[in-house]
Amino acid sequence: MAKKKKFWKSPSAEAAFRGKEDNLRKTLREIVSGQSRLLHRPDDLYEAIANGLDEIEKIKDVKVQLELLAWTLRCDFLAFKADDEEMDTWNDLFYDAGTFFIEVAKTYDDKDYIADLIHDLAVRHVGGEGREVVFLSIEDVMPVERAKALIVELLGVIDATELENREDVLDAICDMADAIKDTENFAKASLYKDPDKSNATLIDIANSYFVAGDIAMAKQWLGDVKDPGAEDEEAFLDLQAAIADREGRKTDCLKYATRLYECFPKVMNLSRLCMLKSGSELDKLLIDHVKYRSTTCDTSYMMLLANLKKFELLGQYVNHFEKELPAQDAAELNAISDEVERAGEKELAKHIREWTVEEPEDAEAFDDRE
C-alpha cells in the first residue's frame, strides 16, 4: 500500500496563498474602479472572475471569503456591457456569486459585518442581478430585526444624500423589505420612487401587505387604484381574486378569476380559474384553452394538466404536439415526466421522455409538411 504523503504547514505556503487573495482583491478592485486592462478583453475578464470564484471557495477564512465575494458582486454591472447573446452567461456568473455569498454568510456569526457588506452593495447598486440575489435572501443571513435596521439605515442614506443611483438603491431596499415582509418600509421606499402614487405602485404595496397576511391594509391600498389600464389591470384583477379567495368569497373570486383569464389568457391565469372549477366544467375549460388560445406546445400547460392529474388530456396534448417537444426546454419536460411518473402514469412519462432532447437549442421541431 502506498504511503500517504505528509503535508506540513509552512509560513511560506500560507504567505503564497495570502498572495493569491491579495492579487484577486487587487484584480476585482481594478475592475470595479474601471482601471483594469481586462475591461478591454471580455473573454479574459469573464475567465478572471469565474476563476476568482473558484479561488474564493478554497479560502478557509470566512470573513475574507465574504469580502472577496462582495467585491465580485460589485462587478455585476459588467453584464450590462455584454452583447445580448452573452448577457445571460454573465448574469448566471453573478447569480452564482450571489448564492455563494448567501451560503457563506449563513455560517458567519458576525451579522454586523455581513450587514456592512450588504449596505455597501446596496448603496452602490446599479441594477445588476448578482447582488439582487443577496437582497432578496437577506432573511437567510441575519435576524429580521437586524435586516430591518439595515433597511432603516439605507432609507437614512436616501434622505441625507443625493445619489445618482437613487432608483437602484430604492430597488434594493424594496427587495430587502419584501424579503422580510417589512410592509411599512416597502411602502415608504416605493413611494420615494413614485411619489405620484401610480396604480402600479399602489398594487405593489397592496400585494406586499397581502403576502404579509395583512388583508385589511391590502384592501385599503388596492382601493386607491383608479381605472387600471391594460398595463395594470392584470395585476389588479389577480390581487382582487387572491384577496377574495383568502376571505372565502368564492363568488367574487370566480368573477375576478374569470375576467382575469378572459382578458389575459395565460396559463398561470387559467390555473387560478381551474382551482374554482370541477368536473365537466373544468375539462371544458382546459380543452377550450387548447382549441382557442394555444397554437403551439406549452410546457406550462402540460405541467398544469399533470398537477390537476388530467392525464388523459395530457396524453392527447402530447400526441398532438409531440413533434414540437424536442425543441422544448429539457429541464421543464423532465419535471413534467417526473410528476407524471410519481402519479403512476409510467407509460405517459416514458412517452414524454422519448421526445425530450437534452440540448433543445440544437434541436429543430419536425416538419412533415412535404
Side-chain angles (χ1 to χ4, degrees), residues 48-79:
I49 296 174
N51 289 340
L53 288 177
D54 292 336
E55 291 300 321
I56 293 170
E57 193 168 5
K58 300 173 186 175
I59 295 172
K60 302 302 182 185
D61 188 328
V62 175
K63 186 173 183 179
V64 175
Q65 280 188 307
L66 289 169
E67 180 213 346
L68 292 175
L69 284 169
W71 276 109
T72 303
L73 287 168
R74 282 190 59 187
C75 297
D76 67 0
F77 68 91
L78 293 170

Side-chain angles (χ1 to χ4, degrees), residues 133-258:
V133 176
V134 174
F135 304 146
L136 289 169
S137 304
I138 192 171
E139 79 280 11
D140 293 333
V141 301
M142 66 180 68
V144 170
E145 288 306 313
R146 184 63 187 91
K148 190 168 184 176
L150 173 57
I151 290 169
V152 172
E153 291 170 20
L154 290 167
L155 285 168
V157 173
I158 292 291
D159 288 332
T161 314
E162 290 291 332
L163 298 172
E164 290 185 8
N165 62 332
R166 185 175 187 271
E167 292 289 312
D168 293 314
V169 178
L170 286 169
D171 284 339
I173 294 170
C174 284
D175 285 342
M176 286 187 265
D178 191 40
I180 64 170
K181 297 181 175 59
D182 180 0
T183 51
E184 181 181 348
N185 284 320
F186 180 89
K188 185 174 183 179
S190 296
L191 294 176
Y192 273 1
K193 286 199 298 180
D194 178 19
D196 293 332
K197 297 184 180 180
S198 69
N199 282 338
T201 294
L202 294 172
I203 294 169
D204 282 345
I205 295 173
N207 186 67
S208 74
Y209 278 102
F210 173 78
V211 171
D214 191 338
I215 304 302
M217 286 298 295
K219 292 169 69 174
Q220 182 175 317
W221 282 95
L222 200 61
D224 290 337
V225 175
K226 306 298 181 186
D227 302 318
E231 292 182 358
D232 305 312
E233 187 176 13
E234 183 175 8
F236 180 67
L237 289 170
D238 183 60
L239 189 50
Q240 281 187 313
I243 290 172
D245 183 48
R246 183 73 61 86
E247 292 186 325
R249 294 184 286 113
K250 299 300 182 183
T251 300
D252 287 339
C253 183
L254 178 60
K255 178 182 69 174
Y256 295 133
T258 300

Side-chain angles (χ1 to χ4, degrees), residues 65-112:
Q65 280 188 307
L66 289 169
E67 180 213 346
L68 292 175
L69 284 169
W71 276 109
T72 303
L73 287 168
R74 282 190 59 187
C75 297
D76 67 0
F77 68 91
L78 293 170
F80 298 124
K81 298 179 180 293
D83 295 335
D84 289 344
E85 59 271 19
E86 297 292 334
M87 187 173 290
D88 286 345
T89 302
W90 279 96
N91 280 330
D92 288 345
L93 176 66
F94 291 117
Y95 177 86
D96 289 343
T99 55
F100 189 2
F101 181 97
I102 293 300
E103 290 306 310
V104 175
K106 287 178 182 179
T107 69
Y108 195 56
D109 292 333
D110 188 348
K111 300 306 179 183
D112 287 334

